[in-house]
Amino acid sequence: MTVAVSAPAEAGVEPVRFATFNASLNRADEGGLLADLSTPDDPQARKVAEVIQRNRPDVVLINEFDYVPGYAAVDAFRDNYLAVSQRGARPVDYPYAFTAPVNTGVPTGFDLDRDGRADGGNDAHGFGDFEGQYGMLVLSRHPIDTGAIRTFQRFRWADMPGATLPDDPATEEPADWYSPEILDVLRLSSKSHWDVPVVVGRRSVHFLVAHPTPPSFDGPEDRNGTRNHDEIRFWADYVTPGHGDYIYDDEGVRGGLPNGERFVIAGDYNADPFDGDSVEAAATMLLSAPRVHDPKPASAGAAVAARQQGGANDEHEGSPWLDTADFGDESPGNLRVDYVLPSRGLPVFGSGVFWPVPGSPLARLNDASDHHLVRVDLFVA
């Protein structure tokens, strides 16, 4: 579904398409993604590339793209897949890219899940079987101001005022699942939070990207649900004047985004405003932030899928037109978890979710990932 608005007064101004896509380009073993992308014949990567080619975003965040130092996997994906026509779709060129280390697989040295061992994915700063699994990648047709990028990989969870820390239900003390020793090192971001300024003409737009942990795969302490909530809160505070003074980046620079700066928040946030397992109001907290505008991208394909699949979808409160992910029919059902949220004042030309109606020619791309590409077209003048 696309909602159009009148073009701005400036002649010749073209909309800029921002998008997010959890492409599930993660692999079980370190080096697996690079090996798959080093040849042009990986079936899933070809489908992912075709989805991108048919949507043609100008700036796109790809979630779950395993981090490989030196941009080797990034270059392989651009050269062997995006630059090659996939089933008749036009190749697309992204001369600018940004990727960086993430917290997945980085050991904490502590037994976070209390299984008697202080190793493995559940005891890392972010769940992962190796460092960089489920990483992130930004691709852009517009220049990236690399000198102004801010990353927040090492921001500690306990440094967020009023953090929603998990609680041990077996004790009377609140928010005590993690010891002071753990909280002294444990990072907030399960992957990372990045502020990537993209230069469009004479304007800079801060592309604010992240991939909070799913609010599941834990116990009654809700350690993943509470973390998901605060990972989402991070951006809500960052873009709200007076709320982000506590934030510091990996270079030690403090403060949130200055008032008046333009931004687009994007990513798989693993939280639906109405349904699913996330902490109540986790997504709403971001959607209702004063400077955030929600264009509500939608698709007929999502609505049809929810009706055909039934199960948990029949009990959902949220509109199925806005769903972005095709999860288990019985639980949690299809959800809206992927977002592209511009700052107020950036005129929206159109928006949509790439979820072809079942039975249509492009429905064969629906299984490229369990998530669907979300796009918003903006005038940046």
Side-chain angles (χ1 to χ4, degrees), residues 193-246:
H193 286 66
W194 298 340
D195 177 346
V196 182
V198 177
V199 181
V200 181
R202 293 175 295 177
R203 299 282 190 173
S204 184
V205 179
H206 294 261
F207 199 39
L208 308 179
V209 303
H211 183 193
T213 188
S216 51
F217 310 112
D218 51 19
E221 82 289 345
D222 201 19
R223 67 184 188 278
N224 290 330
T226 52
R227 188 180 192 181
N228 171 271
H229 175 278
D230 282 2
E231 287 194 74
I232 294 172
R233 178 189 156 189
F234 184 91
W235 279 147
D237 287 348
Y238 188 75
V239 302
T240 301
H243 286 215
D245 295 342
Y246 68 89

Side-chain angles (χ1 to χ4, degrees), residues 25 37 45 48 52 62 65 73-82:
L25 283 172
L37 298 182
V48 168
I52 295 172
I62 300 178
F65 188 99
V74 177
D75 291 340
F77 185 52
R78 288 190 290 190
D79 294 343
N80 294 333
Y81 291 90
L82 295 175

Side-chain angles (χ1 to χ4, degrees), residues 323-344:
D323 288 342
T324 66
D326 191 351
F327 294 145
D329 297 342
E330 298 305 317
S331 178
N334 301 342
L335 299 173
R336 183 190 184 193
V337 296
D338 305 271
Y339 299 92
V340 179
L341 303 169
S343 55
R344 293 188 179 275

Side-chain angles (χ1 to χ4, degrees), residues 108-114 125 156 158 177-187:
T108 64
F110 291 97
D111 181 10
L112 301 184
D113 60 357
R114 299 190 183 182
H125 282 286
R156 295 189 314 168
W177 179 261
Y178 294 130
S179 68
E181 292 77 17
I182 293 176
L183 292 176
D184 192 50
V185 302
L186 185 60
R187 301 169 182 177

Side-chain angles (χ1 to χ4, degrees), residues 128-368:
D129 291 324
F130 58 86
E131 292 191 24
Q133 191 179 27
Y134 312 110
M136 305 194 298
L137 168 63
V138 173
L139 297 173
S140 178
R141 295 174 60 193
H142 297 277
I144 293 174
D145 186 355
T146 55
I149 291 173
R150 300 180 73 188
T151 64
F152 304 91
Q153 180 192 6
R154 294 189 292 273
F155 179 87
R156 295 189 314 168
W157 190 356
D159 289 336
M160 172 178 278
T164 308
L165 297 171
D167 178 63
D168 184 349
T171 70
E172 295 183 0
E173 294 297 320
D176 62 343
W177 179 261
Y178 294 130
S179 68
E181 292 77 17
I182 293 176
L183 292 176
D184 192 50
V185 302
L186 185 60
R187 301 169 182 177
L188 172 65
S189 295
S190 54
K191 286 81 179 178
S192 190
H193 286 66
W194 298 340
D195 177 346
V196 182
V198 177
V199 181
V200 181
R202 293 175 295 177
R203 299 282 190 173
S204 184
V205 179
H206 294 261
F207 199 39
L208 308 179
V209 303
H211 183 193
T213 188
S216 51
F217 310 112
D218 51 19
E221 82 289 345
D222 201 19
R223 67 184 188 278
N224 290 330
T226 52
R227 188 180 192 181
N228 171 271
H229 175 278
D230 282 2
E231 287 194 74
I232 294 172
R233 178 189 156 189
F234 184 91
W235 279 147
D237 287 348
Y238 188 75
V239 302
T240 301
H243 286 215
D245 295 342
Y246 68 89
I247 292 173
Y248 55 86
D249 61 29
D250 291 333
E251 299 299 322
V253 178
R254 288 191 170 269
L257 190 67
N259 194 19
E261 293 289 324
R262 302 175 180 210
F263 63 82
V264 175
I265 298 171
D268 170 10
Y269 284 78
N270 276 309
D272 184 291
F274 298 101
D275 305 300
D277 300 327
S278 60
V279 172
E280 186 176 359
T284 305
M285 172 178 51
L286 183 59
L287 296 173
S288 62
R291 297 190 61 209
V292 171
H293 173 53
D294 180 11
K296 296 184 177 179
S299 72
V304 173
R307 185 174 66 250
Q308 290 183 347
Q309 293 168 1
N313 296 301
D314 293 339
E315 307 300 324
H316 280 181
E317 297 180 17
S319 169
W321 289 79
L322 304 182
D323 288 342
T324 66
D326 191 351
F327 294 145
D329 297 342
E330 298 305 317
S331 178
N334 301 342
L335 299 173
R336 183 190 184 193
V337 296
D338 305 271
Y339 299 92
V340 179
L341 303 169
S343 55
R344 293 188 179 275
L346 279 175
V348 176
F349 178 73
S351 66
V353 177
F354 183 74
W355 194 324
V357 174
S360 65
L362 293 182
R364 58 184 172 76
L365 297 175
N366 282 338
D367 65 354

Side-chain angles (χ1 to χ4, degrees), residues 63-64 115 141 213 342 347:
N63 284 131
E64 297 197 6
D115 68 348
R141 295 174 60 193
T213 188

Side-chain angles (χ1 to χ4, degrees), residues 53-105:
Q53 289 175 348
R54 294 198 180 278
N55 284 272
R56 313 197 70 77
D58 297 293
V59 185
V60 58
L61 166 68
I62 300 178
N63 284 131
E64 297 197 6
F65 188 99
D66 292 346
Y67 173 71
V68 178
Y71 283 76
V74 177
D75 291 340
F77 185 52
R78 288 190 290 190
D79 294 343
N80 294 333
Y81 291 90
L82 295 175
V84 177
S85 172
Q86 305 296 338
R87 299 194 62 166
R90 283 191 297 132
V92 61
D93 177 36
Y94 291 105
Y96 307 99
F98 177 74
T99 191
V102 292
N103 285 326
T104 50

